[in-house]
Amino acid sequence: MHVTLRQLHVFQAVARHLSFTRAAEELHLSQPAVSMQVRQLEESVGLPLFEKTGRQISLTEAGTELNHYSQNICRELDEAAEVMESMKGVNSGHLKIAVASTINYFAPRLLAAFSKIYPGIELSLLVTNRESLVQLLKENEEDLVLMGLPPEEMELEWEPFMENPLVVIAAPDHPLAGKKNISMQELAEETFVIRETGSGTRIAIERLFDSAGLKLKSGMQMTRNEAIKQAVRAGMGVSIVSAHTIELELETGRLAILDVDGFPLIRHWHLVHRKGKRLSPAARAFRDFVMENATSI
Protein backbone atom coordinates (compact mmCIF):
# COMPACT_ATOMS: atom_id res chain seq x y z
CA MET A 1 0.00 0.00 0.00
CA HIS A 2 1.21 3.48 -0.86
CA VAL A 3 -0.30 5.33 2.11
CA THR A 4 0.74 8.77 3.30
CA LEU A 5 0.73 10.01 6.87
CA ARG A 6 -1.50 12.84 5.71
CA GLN A 7 -4.11 10.36 4.53
CA LEU A 8 -3.98 8.46 7.82
CA HIS A 9 -4.32 11.68 9.78
CA VAL A 10 -7.42 12.70 7.82
CA PHE A 11 -8.84 9.18 7.99
CA GLN A 12 -8.49 9.13 11.79
CA ALA A 13 -10.37 12.41 12.12
CA VAL A 14 -13.27 11.09 10.03
CA ALA A 15 -13.26 7.78 11.94
CA ARG A 16 -13.26 9.61 15.27
CA HIS A 17 -16.20 11.87 14.41
CA LEU A 18 -17.94 9.59 11.88
CA SER A 19 -18.51 12.79 9.98
CA PHE A 20 -16.66 14.33 7.03
CA THR A 21 -17.96 17.76 7.99
CA ARG A 22 -16.75 17.64 11.60
CA ALA A 23 -13.42 16.16 10.49
CA ALA A 24 -12.98 19.03 8.06
CA GLU A 25 -13.71 21.55 10.82
CA GLU A 26 -11.17 19.92 13.14
CA LEU A 27 -8.47 19.83 10.47
CA HIS A 28 -9.31 23.28 9.06
CA LEU A 29 -9.81 21.79 5.61
CA SER A 30 -12.66 21.91 3.12
CA GLN A 31 -14.99 18.93 3.08
CA PRO A 32 -14.06 18.07 -0.54
CA ALA A 33 -10.38 17.99 0.50
CA VAL A 34 -11.18 15.54 3.31
CA SER A 35 -13.26 13.38 0.97
CA MET A 36 -10.46 13.33 -1.59
CA GLN A 37 -7.89 12.17 0.97
CA VAL A 38 -10.17 9.37 2.13
CA ARG A 39 -10.97 8.35 -1.44
CA GLN A 40 -7.26 8.18 -2.31
CA LEU A 41 -6.63 6.09 0.80
CA GLU A 42 -9.43 3.70 -0.15
CA GLU A 43 -7.95 3.36 -3.64
CA SER A 44 -4.56 2.54 -2.15
CA VAL A 45 -6.03 0.02 0.28
CA GLY A 46 -8.31 -1.49 -2.34
CA LEU A 47 -11.28 -1.69 0.04
CA PRO A 48 -14.01 0.70 1.18
CA LEU A 49 -13.30 2.17 4.61
CA PHE A 50 -16.66 3.80 5.28
CA GLU A 51 -20.23 2.87 4.46
CA LYS A 52 -23.21 5.18 4.40
CA THR A 53 -26.66 4.40 5.78
CA GLY A 54 -29.02 7.26 5.14
CA ARG A 55 -27.20 10.34 6.38
CA GLN A 56 -24.98 8.39 8.78
CA ILE A 57 -21.57 6.90 8.04
CA SER A 58 -19.81 4.06 9.83
CA LEU A 59 -16.54 2.19 9.53
CA THR A 60 -16.45 -0.94 7.44
CA GLU A 61 -14.58 -3.99 8.72
CA ALA A 62 -11.54 -2.85 6.74
CA GLY A 63 -11.95 0.67 8.12
CA THR A 64 -12.05 -0.62 11.68
CA GLU A 65 -8.85 -2.61 11.16
CA LEU A 66 -7.05 0.27 9.47
CA ASN A 67 -8.13 2.65 12.23
CA HIS A 68 -6.50 0.36 14.81
CA TYR A 69 -3.20 0.28 12.91
CA SER A 70 -3.23 3.96 12.04
CA GLN A 71 -3.69 4.86 15.70
CA ASN A 72 -0.66 2.74 16.58
CA ILE A 73 1.39 4.33 13.80
CA CYS A 74 0.53 7.87 14.87
CA ARG A 75 1.13 6.99 18.51
CA GLU A 76 4.60 5.65 17.68
CA LEU A 77 5.38 8.82 15.76
CA ASP A 78 4.22 10.95 18.69
CA GLU A 79 6.43 8.94 21.03
CA ALA A 80 9.38 9.36 18.69
CA ALA A 81 8.81 13.11 18.68
CA GLU A 82 8.65 13.11 22.48
CA VAL A 83 11.93 11.18 22.70
CA MET A 84 13.60 13.68 20.40
CA GLU A 85 12.30 16.48 22.58
CA SER A 86 13.56 14.73 25.71
CA MET A 87 17.08 15.04 24.38
CA LYS A 88 16.59 18.79 24.65
CA GLY A 89 15.27 18.50 28.22
CA VAL A 90 11.72 18.32 29.59
CA ASN A 91 10.78 21.78 28.43
CA SER A 92 8.32 20.92 25.69
CA GLY A 93 6.01 18.20 24.47
CA HIS A 94 2.33 17.36 24.60
CA LEU A 95 0.67 15.56 27.52
CA LYS A 96 -2.80 13.99 27.33
CA ILE A 97 -4.42 13.40 30.71
CA ALA A 98 -7.84 11.82 31.34
CA VAL A 99 -9.46 12.04 34.77
CA ALA A 100 -12.58 10.77 36.47
CA SER A 101 -15.26 13.44 36.82
CA THR A 102 -14.85 13.47 40.61
CA ILE A 103 -11.11 14.16 40.31
CA ASN A 104 -11.88 17.23 38.22
CA TYR A 105 -12.63 19.07 41.47
CA PHE A 106 -8.90 19.30 42.15
CA ALA A 107 -7.28 18.31 38.82
CA PRO A 108 -7.06 21.93 37.57
CA ARG A 109 -4.99 22.83 40.64
CA LEU A 110 -2.61 19.95 39.90
CA LEU A 111 -2.24 20.96 36.27
CA ALA A 112 -1.78 24.64 37.11
CA ALA A 113 0.99 23.84 39.59
CA PHE A 114 2.63 21.48 37.08
CA SER A 115 2.46 24.10 34.32
CA LYS A 116 4.31 26.62 36.47
CA ILE A 117 7.25 24.23 36.63
CA TYR A 118 7.00 23.03 33.01
CA PRO A 119 5.45 25.94 31.08
CA GLY A 120 6.58 24.54 27.72
CA ILE A 121 4.53 21.34 27.99
CA GLU A 122 1.15 21.55 26.26
CA LEU A 123 -1.58 19.92 28.35
CA SER A 124 -4.84 18.30 27.25
CA LEU A 125 -7.36 17.37 29.95
CA LEU A 126 -10.31 15.05 29.32
CA VAL A 127 -12.90 14.74 32.10
CA THR A 128 -15.20 11.74 31.78
CA ASN A 129 -16.84 8.86 33.62
CA ARG A 130 -15.32 5.53 34.63
CA GLU A 131 -16.73 3.61 31.64
CA SER A 132 -15.05 5.99 29.20
CA LEU A 133 -11.79 5.92 31.15
CA VAL A 134 -11.70 2.12 30.93
CA GLN A 135 -12.26 2.35 27.17
CA LEU A 136 -9.45 4.90 26.84
CA LEU A 137 -7.14 2.55 28.72
CA LYS A 138 -8.12 -0.32 26.42
CA GLU A 139 -7.31 1.79 23.38
CA ASN A 140 -4.15 3.19 25.02
CA GLU A 141 -5.35 6.64 24.02
CA GLU A 142 -4.16 8.90 26.82
CA ASP A 143 -0.70 9.27 28.33
CA LEU A 144 -1.98 8.92 31.89
CA VAL A 145 -5.35 8.33 33.55
CA LEU A 146 -6.32 9.51 37.03
CA MET A 147 -9.15 7.44 38.46
CA GLY A 148 -10.44 5.58 41.48
CA LEU A 149 -10.44 1.80 41.36
CA PRO A 150 -8.45 0.54 38.32
CA PRO A 151 -10.20 -2.22 36.34
CA GLU A 152 -8.86 -5.58 37.50
CA GLU A 153 -9.38 -7.34 34.18
CA MET A 154 -6.80 -5.24 32.32
CA GLU A 155 -3.01 -5.33 32.34
CA LEU A 156 -2.22 -1.99 33.93
CA GLU A 157 0.41 -0.24 35.96
CA TRP A 158 -0.98 1.99 38.70
CA GLU A 159 0.06 3.85 41.82
CA PRO A 160 -2.14 5.35 44.55
CA PHE A 161 -1.32 9.03 44.88
CA MET A 162 -3.93 10.42 47.28
CA GLU A 163 -6.65 9.33 49.69
CA ASN A 164 -10.25 9.64 48.53
CA PRO A 165 -12.49 9.70 51.63
CA LEU A 166 -16.13 8.90 50.91
CA VAL A 167 -18.68 10.54 53.20
CA VAL A 168 -22.45 10.39 53.64
CA ILE A 169 -24.18 13.67 52.86
CA ALA A 170 -27.66 15.01 53.46
CA ALA A 171 -29.53 18.31 53.45
CA PRO A 172 -28.76 20.40 56.58
CA ASP A 173 -32.36 19.98 57.79
CA HIS A 174 -32.39 16.19 57.32
CA PRO A 175 -33.57 14.30 60.45
CA LEU A 176 -30.21 12.51 60.69
CA ALA A 177 -28.13 15.70 60.40
CA GLY A 178 -26.37 16.30 63.71
CA LYS A 179 -27.13 12.83 65.06
CA LYS A 180 -24.14 10.87 66.40
CA ASN A 181 -23.06 7.31 65.61
CA ILE A 182 -25.65 6.49 62.99
CA SER A 183 -25.60 2.76 62.25
CA MET A 184 -25.40 1.24 58.79
CA GLN A 185 -28.77 -0.42 59.46
CA GLU A 186 -30.32 2.98 60.12
CA LEU A 187 -28.64 4.44 57.06
CA ALA A 188 -30.02 1.62 54.91
CA GLU A 189 -33.54 2.88 55.67
CA GLU A 190 -32.80 6.08 53.76
CA THR A 191 -33.40 6.66 50.06
CA PHE A 192 -30.17 7.22 48.15
CA VAL A 193 -29.30 9.46 45.23
CA ILE A 194 -26.45 7.61 43.51
CA ARG A 195 -24.12 7.64 40.52
CA GLU A 196 -24.71 5.54 37.41
CA THR A 197 -23.95 1.83 37.32
CA GLY A 198 -20.24 1.25 36.78
CA SER A 199 -18.97 4.45 38.39
CA GLY A 200 -16.17 4.04 40.93
CA THR A 201 -18.20 5.58 43.76
CA ARG A 202 -21.23 3.40 42.92
CA ILE A 203 -19.05 0.27 43.00
CA ALA A 204 -17.63 1.24 46.41
CA ILE A 205 -21.13 1.88 47.83
CA GLU A 206 -22.53 -1.40 46.52
CA ARG A 207 -19.61 -3.37 47.93
CA LEU A 208 -20.05 -1.69 51.31
CA PHE A 209 -23.75 -2.54 51.51
CA ASP A 210 -23.17 -6.09 50.27
CA SER A 211 -20.48 -6.70 52.88
CA ALA A 212 -22.87 -5.47 55.59
CA GLY A 213 -25.67 -7.70 54.26
CA LEU A 214 -27.84 -4.67 53.57
CA LYS A 215 -29.87 -3.54 50.56
CA LEU A 216 -29.21 -0.15 49.00
CA LYS A 217 -32.48 1.74 48.53
CA SER A 218 -31.91 3.76 45.37
CA GLY A 219 -34.38 6.52 44.63
CA MET A 220 -32.62 8.28 41.77
CA GLN A 221 -29.59 7.66 39.60
CA MET A 222 -27.52 10.54 38.20
CA THR A 223 -24.38 10.79 36.08
CA ARG A 224 -22.98 14.04 37.50
CA ASN A 225 -21.80 14.89 41.00
CA GLU A 226 -23.27 18.39 40.75
CA ALA A 227 -26.72 16.96 40.03
CA ILE A 228 -26.41 14.59 42.99
CA LYS A 229 -25.52 17.45 45.33
CA GLN A 230 -28.46 19.52 44.10
CA ALA A 231 -30.84 16.59 44.58
CA VAL A 232 -29.59 15.98 48.13
CA ARG A 233 -29.91 19.69 48.95
CA ALA A 234 -33.51 19.54 47.71
CA GLY A 235 -34.27 16.72 50.14
CA MET A 236 -34.60 13.93 47.56
CA GLY A 237 -32.42 11.59 49.63
CA VAL A 238 -28.94 11.08 51.02
CA SER A 239 -25.83 10.14 49.08
CA ILE A 240 -22.24 8.95 49.46
CA VAL A 241 -19.70 11.13 47.67
CA SER A 242 -16.03 11.98 47.71
CA ALA A 243 -15.22 14.58 50.36
CA HIS A 244 -13.18 16.38 47.69
CA THR A 245 -16.39 17.29 45.84
CA ILE A 246 -18.23 19.14 48.64
CA GLU A 247 -15.73 21.66 50.03
CA LEU A 248 -17.79 24.68 48.91
CA GLU A 249 -21.11 23.21 50.08
CA LEU A 250 -19.71 22.52 53.55
CA GLU A 251 -18.27 26.03 53.83
CA THR A 252 -21.61 27.58 52.89
CA GLY A 253 -23.72 25.19 54.96
CA ARG A 254 -25.66 23.86 51.97
CA LEU A 255 -24.88 20.23 52.78
CA ALA A 256 -24.14 18.27 55.95
CA ILE A 257 -21.93 15.22 56.51
CA LEU A 258 -23.71 12.51 58.50
CA ASP A 259 -21.88 10.82 61.38
CA VAL A 260 -22.22 7.20 60.23
CA ASP A 261 -20.31 4.31 61.79
CA GLY A 262 -17.45 3.23 59.52
CA PHE A 263 -17.22 6.57 57.71
CA PRO A 264 -15.40 8.24 56.17
CA LEU A 265 -14.76 5.26 53.92
CA ILE A 266 -11.16 5.64 52.78
CA ARG A 267 -10.45 4.85 49.16
CA HIS A 268 -7.60 6.10 46.96
CA TRP A 269 -7.06 7.91 43.70
CA HIS A 270 -4.71 6.13 41.32
CA LEU A 271 -2.41 7.19 38.50
CA VAL A 272 -2.87 4.58 35.77
CA HIS A 273 -1.47 3.59 32.38
CA ARG A 274 -1.23 0.44 30.28
CA LYS A 275 1.35 -2.09 31.40
CA GLY A 276 4.54 -1.76 29.38
CA LYS A 277 3.58 1.65 28.01
CA ARG A 278 6.62 3.77 27.26
CA LEU A 279 5.93 7.07 28.96
CA SER A 280 7.13 10.22 27.27
CA PRO A 281 9.45 12.55 29.21
CA ALA A 282 6.49 14.87 29.79
CA ALA A 283 4.37 12.00 31.12
CA ARG A 284 7.16 10.83 33.43
CA ALA A 285 7.59 14.37 34.72
CA PHE A 286 3.85 14.63 35.43
CA ARG A 287 3.77 11.22 37.11
CA ASP A 288 6.64 12.17 39.41
CA PHE A 289 5.07 15.55 40.12
CA VAL A 290 1.71 14.02 41.09
CA MET A 291 3.26 11.39 43.33
CA GLU A 292 5.30 14.00 45.18
CA ASN A 293 2.87 16.93 45.36
CA ALA A 294 -0.77 15.82 44.98
CA THR A 295 -1.55 15.60 48.69
CA SER A 296 -0.09 19.01 49.53
CA ILE A 297 -1.79 20.71 46.57
Side-chain angles (χ1 to χ4, degrees):
M1 294 189 302
H2 298 287
V3 176
T4 68
L5 292 175
R6 176 67 166 171
Q7 290 170 349
L8 291 180
H9 184 60
V10 172
F11 165 72
Q12 276 195 338
V14 179
R16 184 165 52 253
H17 295 291
L18 292 179
S19 166
F20 284 85
T21 300
R22 292 179 63 187
E25 292 172 353
E26 176 188 316
L27 299 171
H28 303 289
L29 296 173
S30 66
Q31 186 171 331
V34 170
S35 300
M36 181 184 68
Q37 292 287 338
V38 172
R39 185 168 59 253
Q40 289 175 348
L41 180 59
E42 288 179 325
E43 291 173 356
S44 179
V45 171
L47 291 167
L49 302 175
F50 295 97
E51 56 187 0
K52 190 172 184 180
T53 305
R55 301 180 66 179
Q56 303 294 320
I57 67 168
S58 59
L59 287 166
T60 62
E61 183 178 358
T64 300
E65 289 295 324
L66 183 61
N67 190 37
H68 168 74
Y69 286 107
S70 66
Q71 287 176 341
N72 289 336
I73 291 169
C74 292
R75 190 175 299 118
E76 289 290 329
L77 287 172
D78 288 341
E79 288 184 5
E82 293 283 0
V83 170
M84 296 303 104
E85 289 297 327
S86 71
M87 296 179 180
K88 308 172 188 176
V90 189
N91 296 314
S92 61
H94 183 231
L95 183 60
K96 296 169 65 178
I97 306 293
V99 304
S101 55
T102 304
I103 295 181
N104 191 45
Y105 285 87
F106 61 85
R109 280 177 280 173
L110 272 179
L111 296 181
F114 177 77
S115 292
K116 288 181 180 179
I117 301 174
Y118 301 100
I121 295 178
E122 181 184 352
L123 297 171
S124 294
L125 176 64
L126 173 64
V127 181
T128 186
N129 59 24
R130 176 183 173 82
E131 182 180 0
S132 296
L133 290 176
V134 171
Q135 186 61 35
L136 289 170
L137 285 168
K138 286 180 180 178
E139 297 173 354
N140 202 17
E141 278 290 310
E142 308 299 298
D143 293 306
L144 293 167
V145 170
L146 275 59
M147 65 187 305
L149 184 68
E152 299 176 355
E153 69 277 7
M154 295 177 61
E155 291 190 349
L156 302 170
E157 294 183 21
W158 50 269
E159 300 173 89
F161 66 88
M162 192 169 71
E163 286 188 349
N164 174 30
L166 301 182
V167 295
V168 186
I169 60 170
D173 58 353
H174 191 279
L176 294 180
K179 184 176 181 180
K180 300 296 183 182
N181 302 320
I182 302 166
S183 69
M184 280 294 297
Q185 288 76 12
E186 191 172 2
L187 183 65
E189 296 298 319
E190 298 295 322
T191 299
F192 276 77
V193 182
I194 56 176
R195 285 289 301 270
E196 75 280 8
T197 300
S199 80
T201 304
R202 172 74 173 266
I203 291 172
I205 295 172
E206 291 176 339
R207 288 182 177 178
L208 174 66
F209 273 75
D210 287 344
S211 66
L214 299 170
K215 183 176 177 59
L216 179 66
K217 191 194 307 184
S218 172
M220 184 171 293
Q221 176 176 297
M222 296 183 173
T223 60
R224 295 178 58 85
N225 290 310
E226 289 300 317
I228 287 177
K229 292 189 291 184
Q230 292 294 332
V232 172
R233 281 184 58 195
M236 299 179 68
V238 301
S239 188
I240 298 177
V241 300
S242 169
H244 295 297
T245 68
I246 57 170
E247 291 179 1
L248 179 60
E249 287 76 13
L250 293 179
E251 290 176 2
T252 57
R254 296 175 182 174
L255 289 173
I257 294 180
L258 301 186
D259 182 18
V260 180
D261 292 340
F263 282 85
L265 189 64
I266 302 300
R267 292 293 184 264
H268 288 85
W269 296 122
H270 298 88
L271 194 151
V272 188
H273 61 82
R274 288 290 295 270
K275 189 173 183 179
K277 183 182 181 70
R278 185 172 62 189
L279 296 181
S280 68
R284 290 198 301 271
F286 184 77
R287 178 195 60 192
D288 295 343
F289 175 83
V290 169
M291 298 304 298
E292 294 173 9
N293 300 285
T295 301
S296 61
I297 293 176

